[in-house]
mmCIF file of all heavy atoms in Angstrom:
data_model
loop_
_atom_site.group_PDB
_atom_site.id
_atom_site.type_symbol
_atom_site.label_atom_id
_atom_site.label_comp_id
_atom_site.label_asym_id
_atom_site.label_seq_id
_atom_site.Cartn_x
_atom_site.Cartn_y
_atom_site.Cartn_z
ATOM 1 N N ASN A 1 102.256 42.695 -37.098
ATOM 2 C CA ASN A 1 101.565 43.792 -37.763
ATOM 3 C C ASN A 1 101.305 44.944 -36.803
ATOM 4 O O ASN A 1 101.012 44.729 -35.632
ATOM 5 C CB ASN A 1 100.241 43.303 -38.349
ATOM 6 C CG ASN A 1 100.447 42.221 -39.392
ATOM 7 O OD1 ASN A 1 101.521 42.133 -39.991
ATOM 8 N ND2 ASN A 1 99.437 41.408 -39.606
ATOM 9 N N ILE A 2 101.370 46.153 -37.331
ATOM 10 C CA ILE A 2 101.103 47.333 -36.507
ATOM 11 C C ILE A 2 99.695 47.866 -36.727
ATOM 12 O O ILE A 2 99.344 48.924 -36.204
ATOM 13 C CB ILE A 2 102.164 48.434 -36.750
ATOM 14 C CG1 ILE A 2 102.193 48.871 -38.214
ATOM 15 C CG2 ILE A 2 103.542 47.940 -36.319
ATOM 16 C CD1 ILE A 2 103.157 50.023 -38.489
ATOM 17 N N ASP A 3 98.890 47.136 -37.501
ATOM 18 C CA ASP A 3 97.486 47.520 -37.673
ATOM 19 C C ASP A 3 96.654 46.993 -36.507
ATOM 20 O O ASP A 3 97.141 46.244 -35.658
ATOM 21 C CB ASP A 3 96.949 47.015 -39.021
ATOM 22 C CG ASP A 3 96.948 45.496 -39.134
ATOM 23 O OD1 ASP A 3 96.325 44.828 -38.291
ATOM 24 O OD2 ASP A 3 97.576 44.950 -40.082
ATOM 25 N N ASP A 4 95.379 47.377 -36.482
ATOM 26 C CA ASP A 4 94.476 46.969 -35.400
ATOM 27 C C ASP A 4 93.391 46.016 -35.879
ATOM 28 O O ASP A 4 92.329 45.903 -35.257
ATOM 29 C CB ASP A 4 93.831 48.204 -34.758
ATOM 30 C CG ASP A 4 92.909 48.966 -35.721
ATOM 31 O OD1 ASP A 4 93.060 48.811 -36.956
ATOM 32 O OD2 ASP A 4 92.054 49.728 -35.242
ATOM 33 N N LEU A 5 93.644 45.303 -36.970
ATOM 34 C CA LEU A 5 92.596 44.484 -37.573
ATOM 35 C C LEU A 5 92.234 43.271 -36.717
ATOM 36 O O LEU A 5 91.074 42.829 -36.733
ATOM 37 C CB LEU A 5 93.006 44.060 -38.982
ATOM 38 C CG LEU A 5 93.199 45.219 -39.976
ATOM 39 C CD1 LEU A 5 93.536 44.689 -41.360
ATOM 40 C CD2 LEU A 5 91.955 46.103 -40.028
ATOM 41 N N HIS A 6 93.176 42.716 -35.977
ATOM 42 C CA HIS A 6 92.820 41.611 -35.074
ATOM 43 C C HIS A 6 91.815 42.087 -34.023
ATOM 44 O O HIS A 6 90.812 41.415 -33.763
ATOM 45 C CB HIS A 6 94.073 41.079 -34.375
ATOM 46 C CG HIS A 6 94.928 40.199 -35.235
ATOM 47 N ND1 HIS A 6 94.461 39.041 -35.804
ATOM 48 C CD2 HIS A 6 96.228 40.324 -35.616
ATOM 49 C CE1 HIS A 6 95.434 38.463 -36.496
ATOM 50 N NE2 HIS A 6 96.504 39.234 -36.394
ATOM 51 N N GLU A 7 92.095 43.241 -33.442
ATOM 52 C CA GLU A 7 91.181 43.768 -32.426
ATOM 53 C C GLU A 7 89.828 44.126 -33.017
ATOM 54 O O GLU A 7 88.786 43.876 -32.403
ATOM 55 C CB GLU A 7 91.794 44.996 -31.754
ATOM 56 C CG GLU A 7 92.948 44.686 -30.815
ATOM 57 C CD GLU A 7 94.298 44.603 -31.514
ATOM 58 O OE1 GLU A 7 94.338 44.610 -32.774
ATOM 59 O OE2 GLU A 7 95.322 44.533 -30.818
ATOM 60 N N ARG A 8 89.828 44.697 -34.190
ATOM 61 C CA ARG A 8 88.556 45.048 -34.830
ATOM 62 C C ARG A 8 87.720 43.809 -35.132
ATOM 63 O O ARG A 8 86.489 43.867 -35.146
ATOM 64 C CB ARG A 8 88.809 45.830 -36.122
ATOM 65 C CG ARG A 8 89.142 47.283 -35.898
ATOM 66 C CD ARG A 8 88.898 48.059 -37.174
ATOM 67 N NE ARG A 8 90.095 48.645 -37.729
ATOM 68 C CZ ARG A 8 90.174 49.183 -38.943
ATOM 69 N NH1 ARG A 8 89.117 49.179 -39.738
ATOM 70 N NH2 ARG A 8 91.307 49.705 -39.372
ATOM 71 N N ALA A 9 88.390 42.689 -35.386
ATOM 72 C CA ALA A 9 87.673 41.439 -35.668
ATOM 73 C C ALA A 9 87.154 40.768 -34.408
ATOM 74 O O ALA A 9 86.335 39.855 -34.487
ATOM 75 C CB ALA A 9 88.589 40.477 -36.428
ATOM 76 N N GLY A 10 87.659 41.194 -33.243
ATOM 77 C CA GLY A 10 87.166 40.634 -31.993
ATOM 78 C C GLY A 10 88.198 39.924 -31.140
ATOM 79 O O GLY A 10 87.884 39.491 -30.021
ATOM 80 N N SER A 11 89.436 39.781 -31.627
ATOM 81 C CA SER A 11 90.478 39.173 -30.798
ATOM 82 C C SER A 11 90.814 40.098 -29.642
ATOM 83 O O SER A 11 90.916 41.315 -29.804
ATOM 84 C CB SER A 11 91.738 38.902 -31.639
ATOM 85 O OG SER A 11 91.518 37.875 -32.580
ATOM 86 N N ARG A 12 91.009 39.512 -28.476
ATOM 87 C CA ARG A 12 91.319 40.292 -27.275
ATOM 88 C C ARG A 12 92.705 39.974 -26.715
ATOM 89 O O ARG A 12 93.331 40.831 -26.095
ATOM 90 C CB ARG A 12 90.256 40.022 -26.202
ATOM 91 C CG ARG A 12 88.871 40.533 -26.596
ATOM 92 C CD ARG A 12 88.845 42.055 -26.643
ATOM 93 N NE ARG A 12 87.572 42.573 -27.134
ATOM 94 C CZ ARG A 12 87.364 42.958 -28.388
ATOM 95 N NH1 ARG A 12 88.360 42.881 -29.276
ATOM 96 N NH2 ARG A 12 86.197 43.405 -28.763
ATOM 97 N N ASN A 13 93.174 38.760 -26.938
ATOM 98 C CA ASN A 13 94.461 38.331 -26.389
ATOM 99 C C ASN A 13 95.529 38.481 -27.475
ATOM 100 O O ASN A 13 95.946 37.507 -28.114
ATOM 101 C CB ASN A 13 94.365 36.883 -25.905
ATOM 102 C CG ASN A 13 95.453 36.519 -24.917
ATOM 103 O OD1 ASN A 13 96.034 37.389 -24.269
ATOM 104 N ND2 ASN A 13 95.728 35.233 -24.790
ATOM 105 N N VAL A 14 95.944 39.730 -27.689
ATOM 106 C CA VAL A 14 96.844 40.062 -28.796
ATOM 107 C C VAL A 14 98.086 40.769 -28.269
ATOM 108 O O VAL A 14 97.986 41.692 -27.459
ATOM 109 C CB VAL A 14 96.146 40.979 -29.831
ATOM 110 C CG1 VAL A 14 97.080 41.272 -31.005
ATOM 111 C CG2 VAL A 14 94.844 40.357 -30.325
ATOM 112 N N VAL A 15 99.253 40.334 -28.738
ATOM 113 C CA VAL A 15 100.514 41.006 -28.440
ATOM 114 C C VAL A 15 101.048 41.611 -29.735
ATOM 115 O O VAL A 15 101.269 40.893 -30.712
ATOM 116 C CB VAL A 15 101.555 40.028 -27.860
ATOM 117 C CG1 VAL A 15 102.922 40.714 -27.751
ATOM 118 C CG2 VAL A 15 101.118 39.524 -26.503
ATOM 119 N N HIS A 16 101.245 42.923 -29.739
ATOM 120 C CA HIS A 16 101.812 43.610 -30.907
ATOM 121 C C HIS A 16 103.318 43.741 -30.685
ATOM 122 O O HIS A 16 103.802 44.735 -30.155
ATOM 123 C CB HIS A 16 101.177 44.990 -31.062
ATOM 124 C CG HIS A 16 99.799 44.965 -31.637
ATOM 125 N ND1 HIS A 16 99.551 45.057 -32.995
ATOM 126 C CD2 HIS A 16 98.584 44.835 -31.043
ATOM 127 C CE1 HIS A 16 98.246 45.007 -33.210
ATOM 128 N NE2 HIS A 16 97.638 44.872 -32.044
ATOM 129 N N MET A 17 104.058 42.746 -31.125
ATOM 130 C CA MET A 17 105.492 42.745 -30.836
ATOM 131 C C MET A 17 106.240 43.851 -31.570
ATOM 132 O O MET A 17 107.331 44.247 -31.149
ATOM 133 C CB MET A 17 106.105 41.380 -31.155
ATOM 134 C CG MET A 17 106.058 40.956 -32.609
ATOM 135 S SD MET A 17 106.819 39.324 -32.879
ATOM 136 C CE MET A 17 108.540 39.667 -32.474
ATOM 137 N N HIS A 18 105.681 44.356 -32.653
ATOM 138 C CA HIS A 18 106.308 45.452 -33.399
ATOM 139 C C HIS A 18 105.603 46.787 -33.195
ATOM 140 O O HIS A 18 105.843 47.737 -33.938
ATOM 141 C CB HIS A 18 106.382 45.113 -34.892
ATOM 142 C CG HIS A 18 107.344 44.014 -35.197
ATOM 143 N ND1 HIS A 18 107.393 43.355 -36.416
ATOM 144 C CD2 HIS A 18 108.322 43.442 -34.432
ATOM 145 C CE1 HIS A 18 108.340 42.435 -36.379
ATOM 146 N NE2 HIS A 18 108.915 42.474 -35.186
ATOM 147 N N GLY A 19 104.724 46.859 -32.201
ATOM 148 C CA GLY A 19 104.073 48.111 -31.878
ATOM 149 C C GLY A 19 102.741 48.293 -32.573
ATOM 150 O O GLY A 19 102.220 47.374 -33.217
ATOM 151 N N GLU A 20 102.195 49.502 -32.444
ATOM 152 C CA GLU A 20 100.869 49.808 -32.971
ATOM 153 C C GLU A 20 100.876 51.171 -33.647
ATOM 154 O O GLU A 20 101.269 52.177 -33.047
ATOM 155 C CB GLU A 20 99.838 49.788 -31.841
ATOM 156 C CG GLU A 20 99.727 48.441 -31.160
ATOM 157 C CD GLU A 20 98.772 48.447 -29.991
ATOM 158 O OE1 GLU A 20 97.549 48.587 -30.233
ATOM 159 O OE2 GLU A 20 99.242 48.337 -28.847
ATOM 160 N N LEU A 21 100.416 51.193 -34.883
ATOM 161 C CA LEU A 21 100.420 52.415 -35.666
ATOM 162 C C LEU A 21 99.487 53.475 -35.108
ATOM 163 O O LEU A 21 99.734 54.677 -35.265
ATOM 164 C CB LEU A 21 100.035 52.088 -37.119
ATOM 165 C CG LEU A 21 100.113 53.214 -38.147
ATOM 166 C CD1 LEU A 21 101.516 53.803 -38.218
ATOM 167 C CD2 LEU A 21 99.679 52.702 -39.518
ATOM 168 N N LEU A 22 98.410 53.052 -34.452
ATOM 169 C CA LEU A 22 97.426 53.995 -33.927
ATOM 170 C C LEU A 22 97.743 54.430 -32.495
ATOM 171 O O LEU A 22 96.858 54.786 -31.722
ATOM 172 C CB LEU A 22 96.026 53.393 -34.004
ATOM 173 C CG LEU A 22 95.530 53.089 -35.422
ATOM 174 C CD1 LEU A 22 94.122 52.518 -35.397
ATOM 175 C CD2 LEU A 22 95.589 54.313 -36.321
ATOM 176 N N LYS A 23 99.036 54.409 -32.164
ATOM 177 C CA LYS A 23 99.516 54.945 -30.897
ATOM 178 C C LYS A 23 100.775 55.770 -31.158
ATOM 179 O O LYS A 23 101.471 55.560 -32.159
ATOM 180 C CB LYS A 23 99.825 53.829 -29.896
ATOM 181 C CG LYS A 23 98.597 53.082 -29.414
ATOM 182 C CD LYS A 23 98.950 52.031 -28.381
ATOM 183 C CE LYS A 23 97.700 51.302 -27.886
ATOM 184 N NZ LYS A 23 98.033 50.257 -26.876
ATOM 185 N N ALA A 24 101.041 56.704 -30.263
ATOM 186 C CA ALA A 24 102.255 57.526 -30.342
ATOM 187 C C ALA A 24 103.004 57.413 -29.024
ATOM 188 O O ALA A 24 102.398 57.181 -27.973
ATOM 189 C CB ALA A 24 101.905 58.986 -30.630
ATOM 190 N N ARG A 25 104.321 57.582 -29.100
ATOM 191 C CA ARG A 25 105.142 57.463 -27.898
ATOM 192 C C ARG A 25 106.101 58.641 -27.796
ATOM 193 O O ARG A 25 106.667 59.077 -28.809
ATOM 194 C CB ARG A 25 105.938 56.160 -27.928
ATOM 195 C CG ARG A 25 106.773 55.907 -26.686
ATOM 196 C CD ARG A 25 107.321 54.504 -26.630
ATOM 197 N NE ARG A 25 108.533 54.300 -27.396
ATOM 198 C CZ ARG A 25 108.623 53.580 -28.498
ATOM 199 N NH1 ARG A 25 107.542 53.000 -28.996
ATOM 200 N NH2 ARG A 25 109.771 53.432 -29.121
ATOM 201 N N CYS A 26 106.275 59.126 -26.580
ATOM 202 C CA CYS A 26 107.219 60.217 -26.343
ATOM 203 C C CYS A 26 108.611 59.643 -26.116
ATOM 204 O O CYS A 26 108.799 58.786 -25.249
ATOM 205 C CB CYS A 26 106.786 61.041 -25.129
ATOM 206 S SG CYS A 26 107.947 62.355 -24.684
ATOM 207 N N GLN A 27 109.577 60.109 -26.891
ATOM 208 C CA GLN A 27 110.941 59.633 -26.723
ATOM 209 C C GLN A 27 111.582 60.146 -25.439
ATOM 210 O O GLN A 27 112.558 59.575 -24.956
ATOM 211 C CB GLN A 27 111.807 60.066 -27.918
ATOM 212 C CG GLN A 27 111.460 59.389 -29.206
ATOM 213 C CD GLN A 27 112.565 59.511 -30.233
ATOM 214 O OE1 GLN A 27 113.041 58.529 -30.784
ATOM 215 N NE2 GLN A 27 112.976 60.746 -30.499
ATOM 216 N N THR A 28 111.024 61.206 -24.874
ATOM 217 C CA THR A 28 111.597 61.784 -23.663
ATOM 218 C C THR A 28 111.176 61.028 -22.411
ATOM 219 O O THR A 28 112.009 60.632 -21.596
ATOM 220 C CB THR A 28 111.194 63.265 -23.538
ATOM 221 O OG1 THR A 28 111.642 63.973 -24.684
ATOM 222 C CG2 THR A 28 111.807 63.884 -22.290
ATOM 223 N N CYS A 29 109.868 60.808 -22.251
ATOM 224 C CA CYS A 29 109.382 60.182 -21.010
ATOM 225 C C CYS A 29 108.810 58.785 -21.211
ATOM 226 O O CYS A 29 108.512 58.097 -20.232
ATOM 227 C CB CYS A 29 108.345 61.078 -20.336
ATOM 228 S SG CYS A 29 106.758 61.180 -21.225
ATOM 229 N N GLY A 30 108.618 58.376 -22.454
ATOM 230 C CA GLY A 30 108.106 57.036 -22.724
ATOM 231 C C GLY A 30 106.607 56.899 -22.672
ATOM 232 O O GLY A 30 106.083 55.788 -22.838
ATOM 233 N N ASP A 31 105.869 57.985 -22.463
ATOM 234 C CA ASP A 31 104.412 57.911 -22.386
ATOM 235 C C ASP A 31 103.830 57.473 -23.731
ATOM 236 O O ASP A 31 104.272 57.936 -24.789
ATOM 237 C CB ASP A 31 103.841 59.276 -21.994
ATOM 238 C CG ASP A 31 102.356 59.216 -21.686
ATOM 239 O OD1 ASP A 31 101.963 58.373 -20.862
ATOM 240 O OD2 ASP A 31 101.603 60.023 -22.265
ATOM 241 N N VAL A 32 102.866 56.571 -23.683
ATOM 242 C CA VAL A 32 102.210 56.053 -24.888
ATOM 243 C C VAL A 32 100.747 56.455 -24.867
ATOM 244 O O VAL A 32 100.060 56.262 -23.853
ATOM 245 C CB VAL A 32 102.336 54.522 -24.974
ATOM 246 C CG1 VAL A 32 101.603 53.990 -26.204
ATOM 247 C CG2 VAL A 32 103.795 54.100 -25.001
ATOM 248 N N VAL A 33 100.266 57.015 -25.977
ATOM 249 C CA VAL A 33 98.883 57.479 -26.059
ATOM 250 C C VAL A 33 98.247 57.029 -27.370
ATOM 251 O O VAL A 33 98.943 56.855 -28.378
ATOM 252 C CB VAL A 33 98.812 59.029 -25.971
ATOM 253 C CG1 VAL A 33 99.256 59.508 -24.603
ATOM 254 C CG2 VAL A 33 99.644 59.683 -27.071
ATOM 255 N N PRO A 34 96.925 56.805 -27.389
ATOM 256 C CA PRO A 34 96.240 56.542 -28.659
ATOM 257 C C PRO A 34 96.429 57.719 -29.604
ATOM 258 O O PRO A 34 96.420 58.880 -29.168
ATOM 259 C CB PRO A 34 94.771 56.383 -28.239
ATOM 260 C CG PRO A 34 94.811 56.073 -26.779
ATOM 261 C CD PRO A 34 96.000 56.791 -26.231
ATOM 262 N N TRP A 35 96.577 57.422 -30.916
ATOM 263 C CA TRP A 35 96.814 58.507 -31.861
ATOM 264 C C TRP A 35 96.311 58.121 -33.242
ATOM 265 O O TRP A 35 96.797 57.166 -33.847
ATOM 266 C CB TRP A 35 98.316 58.828 -31.945
ATOM 267 C CG TRP A 35 98.545 60.216 -32.487
ATOM 268 C CD1 TRP A 35 98.650 60.585 -33.796
ATOM 269 C CD2 TRP A 35 98.681 61.406 -31.717
ATOM 270 N NE1 TRP A 35 98.830 61.935 -33.892
ATOM 271 C CE2 TRP A 35 98.864 62.465 -32.625
ATOM 272 C CE3 TRP A 35 98.675 61.687 -30.350
ATOM 273 C CZ2 TRP A 35 99.025 63.787 -32.224
ATOM 274 C CZ3 TRP A 35 98.842 62.989 -29.932
ATOM 275 C CH2 TRP A 35 99.020 64.020 -30.862
ATOM 276 N N ARG A 36 95.340 58.858 -33.762
ATOM 277 C CA ARG A 36 94.773 58.564 -35.069
ATOM 278 C C ARG A 36 95.068 59.665 -36.089
ATOM 279 O O ARG A 36 94.791 59.501 -37.274
ATOM 280 C CB ARG A 36 93.262 58.363 -34.958
ATOM 281 C CG ARG A 36 92.850 57.249 -34.013
ATOM 282 C CD ARG A 36 91.359 57.011 -34.043
ATOM 283 N NE ARG A 36 90.924 56.424 -35.306
ATOM 284 C CZ ARG A 36 90.893 55.119 -35.554
ATOM 285 N NH1 ARG A 36 91.287 54.262 -34.626
ATOM 286 N NH2 ARG A 36 90.472 54.661 -36.712
ATOM 287 N N ASP A 37 95.616 60.791 -35.643
ATOM 288 C CA ASP A 37 95.899 61.909 -36.538
ATOM 289 C C ASP A 37 97.359 61.859 -36.996
ATOM 290 O O ASP A 37 98.115 60.956 -36.650
ATOM 291 C CB ASP A 37 95.620 63.231 -35.821
ATOM 292 C CG ASP A 37 94.169 63.354 -35.381
ATOM 293 O OD1 ASP A 37 93.289 62.954 -36.158
ATOM 294 O OD2 ASP A 37 93.937 63.829 -34.251
ATOM 295 N N ASP A 38 97.753 62.875 -37.758
ATOM 296 C CA ASP A 38 99.144 62.966 -38.185
ATOM 297 C C ASP A 38 100.048 63.304 -36.998
ATOM 298 O O ASP A 38 99.661 64.041 -36.076
ATOM 299 C CB ASP A 38 99.309 64.051 -39.256
ATOM 300 C CG ASP A 38 98.788 63.628 -40.618
ATOM 301 O OD1 ASP A 38 98.405 62.443 -40.764
ATOM 302 O OD2 ASP A 38 98.765 64.473 -41.525
#
């Protein structure tokens, strides 16, 4: 899942193998940042 519901429930040892919807990534440099807007 790409949601953050495990973390919101209190899980800390989580691997998001398909990524995270509330993050954005730059295709040029690979930088990943938190992102909640469009």
Side-chain angles (χ1 to χ4, degrees):
N1 299 336
I2 59 176
D3 63 57
D4 65 339
L5 297 183
H6 283 301
E7 288 86 351
R8 281 200 244 169
S11 291
R12 294 292 175 262
N13 200 22
V14 182
V15 172
H16 283 269
M17 64 180 294
H18 291 167
E20 299 176 69
L21 186 58
L22 297 181
K23 292 182 179 180
R25 183 169 82 249
C26 176
Q27 291 197 126
T28 302
C29 70
D31 189 52
V32 178
V33 294
W35 201 273
R36 302 185 69 88
D37 300 319
D38 285 354

